[in-house]
Amino acid sequence: MSADFLYGIEVIINGLMAGVLYALVALGFVLIFKASGIFNFAQGVMALFAALTLVGIMEGQVPFAHLINAVFGTSIHHFGWQVPAILAIFLTVLVMIAFAWAVQHFVFRHLVGQEPIILFMATIGLAYFLEGVGDLMWGSSIRTLALGLPQGGSIWVEEMTNGLGGDDFYGFFIDKLDMVATLVALVLVAGLVAFAQYTKQGCAMRAVADDHQAALSVGISLSYIWVLVWSLAGIVALVAGVMWGAKSGVQFSLSLIALKALPVLMLGGFTSIPGAIVGGMIIGVGEKLFEYTIGAPYLGGATENWFAYMLALVFLVFRPQGLFGERIIERV
Amino acid sequence: MDGAAPYVTADGRQIGGVLMDMRGITLRFGGVEAIKNISFDIREGEIRAIIGPNGAGKSSMLNVISGFYHPQDGEVWFRGEQRKPMKPYQVARLGIARTFQNIALFEGMSVLDNIMTGRLTHMKTGLLAQAIWKGRAEAEEVANREIVEKVIDFLEIQAIRKTPVGRLPYGLKKRVELARALAAEPKLLLLDEPMAGMNVEEKEDMSRFILDVNDEFGTTIALIEHDMGVVMDLSDRVVVMDYGRKIGDGTPDEVRNNQEVIDAYLGVAHD
Amino acid sequence: MLYREAGDFKTSYKADSQTFPIAFDRWRYWAVLVIAFCVVPFFVNAYWANAILVPFLIYAIAAIGLNILTGYCGQVSLGTGGFMAVGAYACYKLMTSFPDVSIVIHIILAGGITAAVGAAFGLPSLRIKGFYLAVATLAAQFFLVWMFNKVSWFYNYSASGQINAPERFVAGIAVTGPNTAPWAQYMICLVFLTICALIARNLTRGTIGRSWMAIRDMDIAAEIIGVNPLKAKLTAFAVSSFFIGISGALFFAVYLGAVEVGEAFGIQKSFLVLFMIIIGGLGSLFGSFAGAAFLVLLPVALKVIGVDLLGWPTDLVAHLQLVIVGALIMFFLIKEPHGLAQLWRLAKEKLRLWPFPY
């Protein structure tokens, strides 16, 4: 096999893993949309906020330090302690649950029954709000996430695949972190699907996703389910934030990943958990392949900025409901 | 009454030749056949009722006539010419207007604006003229406003013309929807359950309006309706549908005495 | 007692459908115009022009444009930044390729080019609706920014990738370039805004405006009563992009003088204009003005209070701004989804009855 072809395979494998990470963010969208019909634009910022909170807790930062210093003229920054990773993760999950409750109680409880466009714009407002709060709480400089996750290329894989392509080929370069992320994501998806199918709450969640009124009439508490769903989305956001953060540092661009999740949802449909995974992988592979074969050689590179959206756009024109979504039959 | 020869009804209305002819219409949604090989016609100037139990396919038939659904089989003939498959807005241009079972008014606009949208097929000024407004566009707007005001007078809704439609009670919304359809000065008016959800007084008002429309403007009307009293009183001829098939077609009296229709829909009075 | 319509009966349909049926409103409208055209130019200084007035005028044009597309026609667009970029770059290429033609012509042509691009990106709206369309417009946004960055023909092969507006004159007065007086900047933007607002008013009160609103409210019913959805939606995209293109051209040539596409016309710009029409009021021309004014004034006010008065560091104030804007968006959507325009309308209703309660 030629080295070029093998490099192409490497691009595909890396694309699949990038796709899994996209899918992680898309999962959060699907959860909330399924249960409440809200398209949560703030999902990406939630990932950023969760990661920031995790780092902040671990490093013993004082929340809102900057603001407190400005108002009271003090000069505090850190508590002086370090929190172990497991405890920090647990505390961050609590914060995300509190956030879910607050969002439900102060915002979306009052927007029940509004048109989808209004709900969507509310989540854009929420995204800005959360971004500002995150900056106020933990500051806006780039942070590194030191969770002890394996980093760097996997020597093992490189050595195993060295012989495949002759002298020009040095073995597949697969990042260990990507492998861990893929594993985590698959476990998470399996867990979520099991939760939705087999637990009482999961069943209630699916009922709410189908029909609010009907769910209410059998005694399901909408606000409980919504807090639950936003909490789950928050946990998914935490995982996504950790994975992406470990790759490239915890910074604002993390929230832009959310925008990338949109084409994933276009392809996979807004309401399908497996669809989010498949959509993510198609986008991940598609992006990298396009850049490798056409973008870098002929178009000057950096096509990953827009290719996913164009792909989704073209796809939508032919199949407006995505791969897994339900066909929209309009009635008059 | 046989054949397609024009005639005059007992109360002096002119019924002309065949206006709309549905031939062998079959409509399927996936595996479900909503309409099975139905043929009937509508004559110019008459009031044609389409009745039948729920789920018989009556609204679907109206949607086929509007061009919203495209039948897999069959032909639609309008004014002597076969109608090619076309988009709903092209059907509207032919002169077919309708009301909807669940009110489809534009909730963000006032009553007046809603009825003005009924004039869309008649308003022709281009974008540039509208941007300038003074001159052609304004003149056309005023001219069409006059026609709309006549419709408003006819349906007696002057008091609410500036009210946002969302605030109106159900009965008035239905009337505004009728006004919007009338404003288009249609050749064929389709009414989908115009009396639904109304009390006796409102039904009497609506019946009067429908009869007046047919009488004064000579508009051909096809209506879907469940209230048998209304159907028998208003219509010249009736089509009966059941599970997508046609089980009756004729004058109200003929249909009333049709055994199949009685079994499927009308029932028998119990002592 | 001044704000009355009792006894003021209209005797023609023309009079009934005018923009300001109440006499007081008409006087107010003319007063504002007189002040804007005849008074302000004599008092405006560089700070006021650059920080407040010129950006307000330019964003108002963009807000009107986006409101036509999203507020009146119901097509969500997140591509405003990209379309402003089209206007800016089109203006730049025209200015540098035809230096003898008036900049006014260039700006209008730039609007026209943006209209064509907007209509092209609007084609998917026939198949795609709601959020899906929002994502499609994101495709436009990211692709356009990438294109103006990569394809060096657009910035005349300059090494920095930036475009600079050459000096241009209207009636002998400099309107672009470093020697422009603040009042000249203000004036050219004001003239464009007035004309754009008039056109927008005319279009939204006529047939095409009703077609747009019909599609927004119930697109299936709209088609059945005779609206050609293709024509109506593409017209909305084209008209909207025309205005947005003009605002982009003015933003580049008159306001900033030099832009780099990523920071001037990125996705943040799209959100900013969208927030303006949400807070101002969707489907309302007044709302476009109100929203633009609000979001131009807010950072200035925050900076004055936070940095100048309270002495806080600027990045803290910037973070607070995000929090406040986000909170306001959610607040408006909960309490008054129709924005400042609705609040204004309600206030006027109260005023019509004052001093009576009802």
Side-chain angles (χ1 to χ4, degrees):
Chain A
M1 287 189 254
S2 77
D4 274 340
F5 178 72
L6 283 169
Y7 280 124
I9 303 277
E10 182 187 85
V11 165
I12 292 181
I13 296 181
N14 280 317
L16 281 171
M17 301 223 198
V20 167
L21 288 177
Y22 287 144
L24 264 182
V25 186
L27 261 182
F29 280 103
V30 168
L31 278 172
I32 294 182
F33 191 81
K34 260 176 98 75
S36 59
I38 296 176
F39 186 82
N40 179 23
F41 190 80
Q43 189 67 24
V45 181
M46 278 164 67
L48 172 64
F49 179 75
L52 273 178
T53 306
L54 181 61
V55 174
I57 293 178
M58 275 174 69
E59 292 180 0
Q61 251 191 299
V62 176
F64 297 108
H66 211 28
L67 184 63
I68 296 175
N69 290 342
V71 172
F72 297 110
T74 49
S75 193
I76 50 169
H77 290 287
H78 286 88
F79 286 119
W81 62 52
Q82 304 265 19
V83 176
I86 304 287
L87 182 58
I89 291 178
F90 178 70
L91 287 171
T92 310
V93 168
L94 286 181
V95 168
M96 295 313 284
I97 294 178
F99 168 73
W101 180 88
V103 160
Q104 159 60 17
H105 186 83
F106 291 114
V107 182
F108 290 107
R109 188 168 55 127
H110 304 280
L111 288 174
V112 174
Q114 285 282 12
E115 304 144 30
I117 185 73
I118 303 270
L119 296 170
F120 174 61
M121 296 200 275
T123 60
I124 301 183
L126 180 64
Y128 269 64
F129 179 79
L130 190 58
E131 193 192 315
V133 168
D135 286 335
L136 280 179
M137 266 176 101
W138 307 111
S140 52
S141 47
I142 305 178
R143 333 298 285 287
T144 43
L145 196 54
L147 275 181
L149 291 170
Q151 305 247 31
S154 162
I155 313 281
W156 183 82
V157 171
E158 244 182 293
E159 285 176 354
M160 288 293 285
T161 52
N162 203 344
L164 281 174
D167 292 321
D168 274 344
F169 184 66
Y170 299 107
F172 283 139
F173 182 83
I174 313 281
D175 200 311
K176 276 184 279 191
L177 186 61
D178 284 340
M179 285 164 46
V180 171
T182 309
L183 211 59
V184 169
L186 290 173
V187 168
L188 193 60
V189 169
L192 281 172
V193 169
F195 173 77
Q197 284 294 122
Y198 299 117
T199 63
K200 201 169 81 171
Q201 283 83 355
C203 207
M205 201 177 84
R206 286 185 293 139
V208 168
D210 250 353
D211 190 326
H212 293 181
Q213 297 274 48
L216 275 173
S217 67
V218 295
I220 297 177
S221 158
L222 246 59
S223 34
Y224 171 74
I225 291 295
W226 283 339
V227 173
L228 174 64
V229 155
W230 278 84
S231 305
L232 282 176
I235 294 173
V236 170
L238 175 58
V239 173
V242 164
M243 291 299 143
W244 281 101
K247 245 169 112 69
S248 40
V250 180
Q251 50 174 315
F252 168 69
S253 61
L254 205 53
S255 57
L256 294 178
I257 305 294
L259 290 175
K260 237 355 140 45
L262 292 176
V264 171
L265 292 164
M266 301 291 111
L267 290 186
F270 280 83
T271 50
S272 162
I273 292 180
I277 306 295
V278 173
M281 298 214 260
I282 295 180
I283 294 283
V285 171
E287 255 186 359
K288 296 251 184 310
L289 258 185
F290 183 78
E291 175 76 3
Y292 177 67
T293 51
I294 302 177
Y298 303 115
L299 292 177
T303 58
E304 293 179 42
N305 287 350
W306 55 265
F307 178 74
Y309 302 96
M310 279 297 182
L311 183 64
L313 174 58
V314 169
F315 193 82
L316 273 180
V317 170
F318 294 105
R319 206 182 149 89
Q321 71 275 23
L323 270 173
F324 291 81
E326 289 139 23
R327 244 197 105 210
I328 315 157
I329 298 192
E330 292 174 326
R331 314 197 103 249
V332 184
Chain B
M1 280 282 210
D2 295 306
Y7 66 97
V8 180
T9 62
D11 47 358
R13 285 160 31 238
Q14 292 269 40
I15 308 286
V18 171
L19 180 67
M20 172 142 264
D21 199 0
M22 317 293 288
R23 300 186 186 172
I25 302 288
T26 301
L27 180 69
R28 274 184 286 265
F29 295 112
V32 178
E33 234 179 6
I35 299 176
K36 303 180 175 101
N37 196 12
I38 291 191
S39 303
F40 67 95
D41 63 26
I42 305 174
R43 302 179 62 168
E44 207 168 337
E46 75 172 346
I47 300 182
R48 190 83 143 110
I50 305 175
I51 68 175
N54 282 320
K58 310 188 292 295
S59 283
S60 302
M61 182 57 88
L62 233 54
N63 283 336
V64 168
I65 300 179
S66 301
F68 184 60
Y69 290 154
H70 297 283
Q72 278 76 12
D73 240 327
E75 297 165 3
V76 178
W77 287 70
F78 186 63
R79 302 178 87 198
E81 275 180 31
Q82 184 175 7
R83 203 179 76 184
K84 299 187 296 283
M86 51 173 62
K87 298 244 143 178
Y89 69 88
Q90 293 166 312
V91 172
R93 304 247 166 95
L94 289 178
I96 299 179
R98 66 173 288 183
T99 64
F100 300 85
Q101 190 174 4
N102 303 309
I103 297 177
L105 286 172
F106 305 121
E107 305 265 319
M109 298 197 251
S110 67
V111 167
L112 180 62
D113 281 333
N114 264 276
I115 306 176
M116 287 290 282
T117 63
R119 293 296 303 164
L120 269 167
T121 48
H122 297 267
M123 293 179 80
K124 305 271 183 227
T125 47
L127 191 66
L128 197 54
Q130 287 184 51
I132 300 173
W133 190 250
K134 292 291 171 197
R136 275 226 319 263
E138 191 172 31
E140 190 186 56
E141 182 87 3
V142 169
N144 280 282
R145 170 83 187 262
E146 283 179 16
I147 298 176
V148 164
E149 287 291 336
K150 290 209 190 83
V151 174
I152 289 179
D153 279 342
F154 179 74
L155 287 176
E156 295 164 15
I157 45 178
Q158 299 91 330
I160 54 168
R161 61 158 86 76
K162 292 290 172 81
T163 318
V165 146
R167 285 202 219 150
L168 293 174
Y170 181 81
L172 280 177
K173 279 189 188 175
K174 276 238 177 266
R175 224 190 279 184
V176 171
E177 228 197 9
L178 180 61
R180 184 180 64 184
L182 286 178
E185 295 175 307
K187 312 254 175 342
L188 174 62
L189 180 60
L190 308 170
L191 303 174
D192 197 343
E193 299 199 31
M195 319 279 183
M198 290 189 175
N199 62 32
V200 172
E201 208 178 291
E202 287 168 332
K203 283 193 189 182
E204 282 177 5
D205 282 339
M206 191 56 106
S207 303
R208 178 167 52 91
F209 287 134
I210 294 176
L211 282 174
D212 282 346
V213 166
N214 178 256
D215 201 8
E216 270 184 52
F217 305 125
T219 313
T220 312
I221 298 179
L223 74 146
I224 297 177
E225 192 38 63
H226 278 295
D227 183 329
M228 276 305 110
V230 165
V231 169
M232 299 305 166
D233 282 342
L234 285 187
S235 42
D236 296 307
R237 288 191 300 152
V238 181
V239 176
V240 190
M241 285 174 68
D242 183 32
Y243 283 117
R245 298 177 304 116
K246 185 172 85 167
I247 62 174
D249 187 351
T251 65
D253 282 323
E254 287 167 4
V255 157
R256 203 204 316 253
N257 295 318
N258 179 326
Q259 189 57 43
E260 211 182 338
V261 172
I262 292 174
D263 289 341
Y265 186 46
L266 290 177
V268 192
H270 290 270
D271 300 320
Chain C
M1 247 88 70
L2 294 165
Y3 202 65
R4 269 285 160 270
E5 47 182 344
D8 183 12
F9 298 110
K10 307 289 182 286
T11 50
S12 73
Y13 295 132
K14 213 160 115 167
D16 190 44
S17 58
Q18 62 189 290
T19 312
F20 296 110
I22 300 180
F24 185 83
D25 281 332
R26 272 198 297 279
W27 287 114
R28 187 173 44 83
Y29 166 68
W30 287 110
V32 167
L33 278 183
V34 164
I35 295 178
F37 275 94
C38 305
V39 176
V40 173
F42 293 102
F43 293 98
V44 67
N45 63 18
Y47 173 72
W48 272 89
N50 275 306
I52 297 177
L53 289 172
V54 171
F56 161 68
L57 294 170
I58 294 177
Y59 280 124
I61 300 178
I64 291 176
L66 187 61
N67 219 337
I68 285 180
L69 184 60
T70 302
Y72 283 94
C73 194
Q75 311 297 306
V76 185
S77 167
L78 291 175
T80 311
F83 291 133
M84 281 176 82
V86 174
Y89 279 81
C91 188
Y92 175 69
K93 291 299 293 181
L94 284 168
M95 280 165 85
T96 51
S97 308
F98 305 103
D100 296 323
V101 178
S102 163
I103 187 177
V104 173
I105 308 273
H106 286 318
I107 293 178
I108 297 177
L109 283 177
I113 294 175
T114 317
V117 173
F121 276 104
L123 281 168
S125 73
L126 304 164
R127 292 273 291 177
I128 311 175
K129 306 196 176 163
F131 310 132
Y132 295 91
L133 186 64
V135 177
T137 56
L138 273 184
Q141 169 70 43
F142 288 121
F143 176 75
L144 287 168
V145 167
W146 173 87
M147 188 181 74
F148 288 125
N149 210 310
K150 282 285 168 200
V151 180
S152 30
W153 177 77
F154 285 114
Y155 43 90
N156 287 343
Y157 306 100
S158 106
S160 67
Q162 231 190 23
I163 51 172
N164 292 289
E167 202 171 29
R168 287 287 178 271
F169 299 85
V170 171
I173 304 166
V175 290
T176 64
N179 297 319
T180 314
W183 75 267
Q185 286 181 312
Y186 165 81
M187 208 52 178
I188 185 173
C189 293
L190 179 66
V191 169
F192 268 104
L193 173 61
T194 311
I195 298 179
C196 287
L198 280 172
I199 296 177
R201 186 19 171 147
N202 290 340
L203 288 177
T204 53
R205 70 166 147 176
T207 310
I208 191 71
R210 281 190 294 266
S211 305
W212 288 336
M213 290 193 275
I215 289 192
R216 173 195 66 194
D217 288 340
M218 220 179 237
D219 56 348
I220 301 175
E223 191 174 1
I224 293 183
I225 67 164
V227 175
N228 180 344
L230 171 63
K231 232 173 77 168
K233 287 184 188 177
L234 286 187
T235 312
F237 270 97
V239 171
S240 160
S241 306
F242 177 70
F243 289 151
I244 294 178
I246 289 183
S247 85
L250 286 171
F251 191 75
F252 150 67
V254 175
Y255 180 49
L256 288 182
V259 301
E260 191 275 311
V261 67
E263 25 172 281
F265 298 121
I267 183 94
Q268 308 292 359
K269 196 63 98 211
S270 305
F271 286 137
L272 180 65
V273 182
L274 183 63
F275 289 165
M276 284 178 185
I277 64 173
I278 296 178
I279 292 184
L282 291 164
S284 152
L285 226 48
F286 174 78
S288 314
F289 286 99
F294 191 85
L295 280 176
V296 164
L297 285 174
L298 183 67
V300 174
L302 279 180
K303 183 179 153 295
V304 164
I305 300 177
V307 179
D308 301 337
L309 268 153
L310 290 173
W312 289 358
T314 37
D315 59 345
L316 187 63
V317 174
H319 297 158
L320 268 172
Q321 194 188 321
L322 284 173
V323 173
I324 293 180
V325 169
L328 275 173
I329 297 278
M330 293 190 281
F331 176 78
F332 266 101
L333 288 171
I334 293 174
K335 283 293 178 193
E336 187 47 83
H338 299 287
L340 291 169
Q342 183 70 346
L343 291 175
W344 176 249
R345 234 172 274 143
L346 290 172
K348 286 207 294 188
E349 294 245 344
K350 290 251 146 75
L351 206 54
R352 275 162 64 193
L353 300 166
W354 184 79
F356 302 107
Y358 39 74

mmCIF file of all heavy atoms in Angstrom, chain A residues 151-159 172-177 179:
data_model
loop_
_atom_site.group_PDB
_atom_site.id
_atom_site.type_symbol
_atom_site.label_atom_id
_atom_site.label_comp_id
_atom_site.label_asym_id
_atom_site.label_seq_id
_atom_site.Cartn_x
_atom_site.Cartn_y
_atom_site.Cartn_z
ATOM 1 N N GLN A 151 -1.507 11.965 27.000
ATOM 2 C CA GLN A 151 -1.428 12.883 25.881
ATOM 3 C C GLN A 151 -0.393 12.401 24.888
ATOM 4 O O GLN A 151 0.398 11.523 25.170
ATOM 5 C CB GLN A 151 -0.982 14.268 26.399
ATOM 6 C CG GLN A 151 -1.847 14.810 27.491
ATOM 7 C CD GLN A 151 -2.605 16.024 27.033
ATOM 8 O OE1 GLN A 151 -2.934 16.133 25.864
ATOM 9 N NE2 GLN A 151 -2.862 16.939 27.948
ATOM 10 N N GLY A 152 -0.401 13.059 23.747
ATOM 11 C CA GLY A 152 0.650 12.771 22.783
ATOM 12 C C GLY A 152 0.353 11.542 21.948
ATOM 13 O O GLY A 152 -0.568 10.773 22.228
ATOM 14 N N GLY A 153 1.113 11.401 20.934
ATOM 15 C CA GLY A 153 0.904 10.278 20.016
ATOM 16 C C GLY A 153 1.160 8.935 20.689
ATOM 17 O O GLY A 153 1.973 8.821 21.594
ATOM 18 N N SER A 154 0.429 7.958 20.240
ATOM 19 C CA SER A 154 0.581 6.636 20.835
ATOM 20 C C SER A 154 1.745 5.913 20.167
ATOM 21 O O SER A 154 1.686 5.590 18.978
ATOM 22 C CB SER A 154 -0.717 5.856 20.661
ATOM 23 O OG SER A 154 -0.475 4.492 20.838
ATOM 24 N N ILE A 155 2.789 5.674 20.930
ATOM 25 C CA ILE A 155 3.965 4.994 20.366
ATOM 26 C C ILE A 155 3.582 3.578 19.947
ATOM 27 O O ILE A 155 4.015 3.083 18.924
ATOM 28 C CB ILE A 155 5.106 4.925 21.422
ATOM 29 C CG1 ILE A 155 5.282 6.277 22.082
ATOM 30 C CG2 ILE A 155 6.380 4.415 20.801
ATOM 31 C CD1 ILE A 155 6.059 7.264 21.268
ATOM 32 N N TRP A 156 2.781 2.973 20.747
ATOM 33 C CA TRP A 156 2.364 1.593 20.508
ATOM 34 C C TRP A 156 1.746 1.443 19.120
ATOM 35 O O TRP A 156 2.139 0.593 18.329
ATOM 36 C CB TRP A 156 1.377 1.196 21.600
ATOM 37 C CG TRP A 156 0.895 -0.222 21.543
ATOM 38 C CD1 TRP A 156 1.520 -1.336 22.013
ATOM 39 C CD2 TRP A 156 -0.326 -0.668 20.963
ATOM 40 N NE1 TRP A 156 0.770 -2.441 21.780
ATOM 41 C CE2 TRP A 156 -0.384 -2.068 21.135
ATOM 42 C CE3 TRP A 156 -1.393 -0.029 20.318
ATOM 43 C CZ2 TRP A 156 -1.451 -2.838 20.695
ATOM 44 C CZ3 TRP A 156 -2.451 -0.799 19.875
ATOM 45 C CH2 TRP A 156 -2.468 -2.205 20.067
ATOM 46 N N VAL A 157 0.783 2.334 18.821
ATOM 47 C CA VAL A 157 0.116 2.251 17.519
ATOM 48 C C VAL A 157 1.117 2.507 16.397
ATOM 49 O O VAL A 157 1.125 1.832 15.370
ATOM 50 C CB VAL A 157 -1.035 3.276 17.428
ATOM 51 C CG1 VAL A 157 -1.594 3.349 16.023
ATOM 52 C CG2 VAL A 157 -2.119 2.915 18.407
ATOM 53 N N GLU A 158 1.981 3.486 16.634
ATOM 54 C CA GLU A 158 2.951 3.820 15.595
ATOM 55 C C GLU A 158 3.825 2.623 15.258
ATOM 56 O O GLU A 158 4.056 2.314 14.099
ATOM 57 C CB GLU A 158 3.830 4.976 16.092
ATOM 58 C CG GLU A 158 3.673 6.233 15.268
ATOM 59 C CD GLU A 158 4.573 7.343 15.732
ATOM 60 O OE1 GLU A 158 4.363 7.853 16.839
ATOM 61 O OE2 GLU A 158 5.493 7.687 14.961
ATOM 62 N N GLU A 159 4.297 1.980 16.307
ATOM 63 C CA GLU A 159 5.188 0.852 16.055
ATOM 64 C C GLU A 159 4.462 -0.290 15.392
ATOM 65 O O GLU A 159 4.980 -0.923 14.483
ATOM 66 C CB GLU A 159 5.818 0.404 17.376
ATOM 67 C CG GLU A 159 6.909 1.378 17.820
ATOM 68 C CD GLU A 159 7.464 1.006 19.177
ATOM 69 O OE1 GLU A 159 6.931 0.078 19.804
ATOM 70 O OE2 GLU A 159 8.436 1.653 19.569
ATOM 71 N N PHE A 172 0.923 4.913 11.899
ATOM 72 C CA PHE A 172 -0.180 5.832 12.144
ATOM 73 C C PHE A 172 0.088 6.687 13.378
ATOM 74 O O PHE A 172 0.468 6.170 14.426
ATOM 75 C CB PHE A 172 -1.477 5.066 12.387
ATOM 76 C CG PHE A 172 -2.093 4.524 11.132
ATOM 77 C CD1 PHE A 172 -2.643 3.264 11.113
ATOM 78 C CD2 PHE A 172 -2.114 5.264 9.975
ATOM 79 C CE1 PHE A 172 -3.212 2.754 9.958
ATOM 80 C CE2 PHE A 172 -2.671 4.771 8.821
ATOM 81 C CZ PHE A 172 -3.216 3.497 8.817
ATOM 82 N N PHE A 173 -0.113 7.956 13.239
ATOM 83 C CA PHE A 173 -0.012 8.848 14.401
ATOM 84 C C PHE A 173 -1.409 9.064 14.964
ATOM 85 O O PHE A 173 -2.193 9.831 14.437
ATOM 86 C CB PHE A 173 0.597 10.191 13.971
ATOM 87 C CG PHE A 173 0.763 11.134 15.123
ATOM 88 C CD1 PHE A 173 1.871 11.049 15.943
ATOM 89 C CD2 PHE A 173 -0.215 12.074 15.416
ATOM 90 C CE1 PHE A 173 2.022 11.906 17.013
ATOM 91 C CE2 PHE A 173 -0.072 12.932 16.483
ATOM 92 C CZ PHE A 173 1.052 12.849 17.285
ATOM 93 N N ILE A 174 -1.699 8.372 16.034
ATOM 94 C CA ILE A 174 -3.014 8.543 16.658
ATOM 95 C C ILE A 174 -2.786 9.061 18.068
ATOM 96 O O ILE A 174 -2.027 8.479 18.838
ATOM 97 C CB ILE A 174 -3.768 7.199 16.748
ATOM 98 C CG1 ILE A 174 -3.709 6.460 15.425
ATOM 99 C CG2 ILE A 174 -5.177 7.405 17.217
ATOM 100 C CD1 ILE A 174 -4.670 6.935 14.388
ATOM 101 N N ASP A 175 -3.426 10.146 18.390
ATOM 102 C CA ASP A 175 -3.257 10.755 19.703
ATOM 103 C C ASP A 175 -3.932 9.893 20.772
ATOM 104 O O ASP A 175 -5.089 9.508 20.639
ATOM 105 C CB ASP A 175 -3.882 12.157 19.678
ATOM 106 C CG ASP A 175 -3.350 13.025 20.786
ATOM 107 O OD1 ASP A 175 -3.337 12.565 21.944
ATOM 108 O OD2 ASP A 175 -2.950 14.154 20.489
ATOM 109 N N LYS A 176 -3.219 9.632 21.849
ATOM 110 C CA LYS A 176 -3.784 8.814 22.922
ATOM 111 C C LYS A 176 -5.029 9.455 23.515
ATOM 112 O O LYS A 176 -5.986 8.785 23.889
ATOM 113 C CB LYS A 176 -2.733 8.605 24.029
ATOM 114 C CG LYS A 176 -1.780 7.467 23.748
ATOM 115 C CD LYS A 176 -0.834 7.250 24.901
ATOM 116 C CE LYS A 176 0.298 8.251 24.837
ATOM 117 N NZ LYS A 176 1.381 7.924 25.785
ATOM 118 N N LEU A 177 -4.980 10.786 23.599
ATOM 119 C CA LEU A 177 -6.117 11.504 24.178
ATOM 120 C C LEU A 177 -7.377 11.267 23.361
ATOM 121 O O LEU A 177 -8.459 11.042 23.894
ATOM 122 C CB LEU A 177 -5.803 13.003 24.233
ATOM 123 C CG LEU A 177 -6.835 13.859 24.939
ATOM 124 C CD1 LEU A 177 -6.969 13.409 26.379
ATOM 125 C CD2 LEU A 177 -6.436 15.309 24.892
ATOM 126 N N MET A 179 -8.025 8.701 21.653
ATOM 127 C CA MET A 179 -8.512 7.343 21.903
ATOM 128 C C MET A 179 -9.305 7.285 23.197
ATOM 129 O O MET A 179 -10.378 6.671 23.262
ATOM 130 C CB MET A 179 -7.322 6.373 21.953
ATOM 131 C CG MET A 179 -6.759 6.096 20.572
ATOM 132 S SD MET A 179 -5.123 5.343 20.512
ATOM 133 C CE MET A 179 -5.175 4.058 21.684
#
